[in-house]
Amino acid sequence: MIDMDKLVDLDKSTQSKQVFWDQDIYDRELERIFGRCWLFLAHESQLEKPGDFFSTKMGEDGVIVVRHTDGSLKAFVNSCTHRGNSVCSADSGNTRSFVCNYHGWVYGTDGALVDVPLKEKCYHDDIDMSAMGLPSVRVESYRGFVFGCFDESAPPLADFLGDWGWYLDTWMVGAGDGVELIGPPMKSILKCNWKVPAENFVGDGYHVGWTHASALEMLGGELGGLAGNRADMPFDDLGIQVTMRHGHGFGVIDNAAIAIHKKRDGYAKFMQETTPGVAEKMGGPRAALYNGHWNCTTFPNCSFLYGTNIFKVWHPRGPHEIEVWSWVIVHKDMDDETKREIVKEAARSFGTAGTLESDDGDNMVNATHNNQGRYTRSNTMDSRMGVGYEGPHPDYPGIVGSSFVGETSYRGFYRFYQEIMSAESWDAIRAKDSQWADCFPNKDYWKDRLAAKAKAGEQ
Amino acid sequence: MHTIEAQERVSMQLHYDVTQHYYQEATLLQNGDFSAWLESMVARDIHYWMPVVERRYVKDKRQEPTPNDMAIFNDDYDEVKQRVDRLGTGTVWMENPPSSIRYLITNVEAFHTDKADEFVVLSNFAIIRNRAQLEHSEHVGCRRDVLRKVDNGYQLARRKITLDARVTEDKNLYIFF
């Protein structure tokens, strides 16, 4: 019996360590989270021509996303409707059809079954091919980012993203012609629960100085002062973090967008040249974000660092293991040299051999596998940092925390985690749309703080 | 950058020297003498490269990855040095206690090139990392190097590392190959 109210305690800001370990909780996650949420599949820049395909996963299900001959994007399950073998075994490519290696069944780029060998002689022409296409997946794009969803009753992608879309627009369409993803993705195995990196990216500004002490010391620059938590920094004035309706969240370090990049002449120039346009198009509050460094998770398992520009998906492989896929974000309008510079720097910092990436893995593996201990996992994890120092903000939607070092977005992530794991249907989730932020009761936090700041400014 | 052509095979003596050089390199790396490795065995114009190689169908005509594409390593000398420097900060928590990394270098084939002092050398590797209590990972692949003869040995001018695995079965690849 899974009791979500016990596993996630919103009053105490704790989570049971069982959420990183138990098989029955994981099984329910596959059903209620990976089976019902929009999951990142690919970027349209990877799927330009008819027949372009990309092979990926939704939860543990193999899925192919493909540009159909009519120009639309399709996604379907990579498993033949005859006896279940895969119909695609390449990472990506261009094809007119998908042919099963087992008996030669052929599917079109819309997933429809178009040929069955020996159909007349052996099936006696008595097979309804129209009912035997590959199981299809809902596909929608947001600013070129393609997502899939198994649940017909889930809200449209734009509604699932909600306020997150307002923030994403800052860099997805704020400058020039938008962005694209550079692949092919790096892929690696990390023996941790999928939520450990998801929660880390959604709101863990706290670990940066300590976990990444070595890399920050080596890199120096704007964030060098964070190394080892040595510098005395006014954290409440260096950025914010935000959580939203469906668990998406992010933290921003002000004016640090490109701080992790060592070679950055082209990138710095691009940012400088595009900022005035972003301010004009998106307004001052978002122009400020445009120059910040973001750590983010789109619920449930798609995380990225805007600024550093690494873009990741955490594919679950059981409760204790994930596959990490990493792409790089670049602006389409950048010159080729700048794009190459960003791809190199993003991979150098947060790729499989990254100077910062390499700091994180051990923490995530141990935070998972320590829970093999029955007594260990009978305890809870804590995410109370900054409780009360958060609330609605006049400029920024969602619930906004006082600093990028805080756990507002952790709390928001697990709030929605509890809700979707408990809810029988999307209707039950929709019914709570107006109450979701009740667990962040300090509604006047920003009103009071900004008033105090204004007053201090007058004096 | 990696287009230097391999010509005829080197002599038995030269092949022996190159092989010994690789064993010495492996010894430095598995002993954690990264600075000594960098200073004595890595040329200032190094290109240290591990491309990402997709699983593609045989008929797929897209070009092989170039250094302009996504890569796990794509470093010049300063960037390799930064990796070495990070390991020297004393705050790489994962390396305290240190990992044990073992290098098995085999199938060494060395060839002359247009330049008298540069050789194209192919080798296979199995790199095995053990750490903590039971943590064990293996990385198997091949290297295509350009080795340059210098006064007291050889220096690495190019290294292209190709991993056989599409998905790295390890928490990171912060290892010198």
Side-chain angles (χ1 to χ4, degrees), chain A residues 116-129:
Chain A
V116 171
L118 311 178
K119 184 163 69 90
E120 296 79 12
K121 285 180 181 156
C122 300
Y123 280 98
H124 312 287
D125 237 347
D126 187 18
I127 178 170
D128 181 6
M129 287 170 55

Side-chain angles (χ1 to χ4, degrees), chain A residues 40 42 50 77 209 250 287 289 340 405 435:
Chain A
F40 176 77
V77 173
F250 74 123
L289 296 179
R340 286 199 287 269
V405 180
Q435 306 148 40

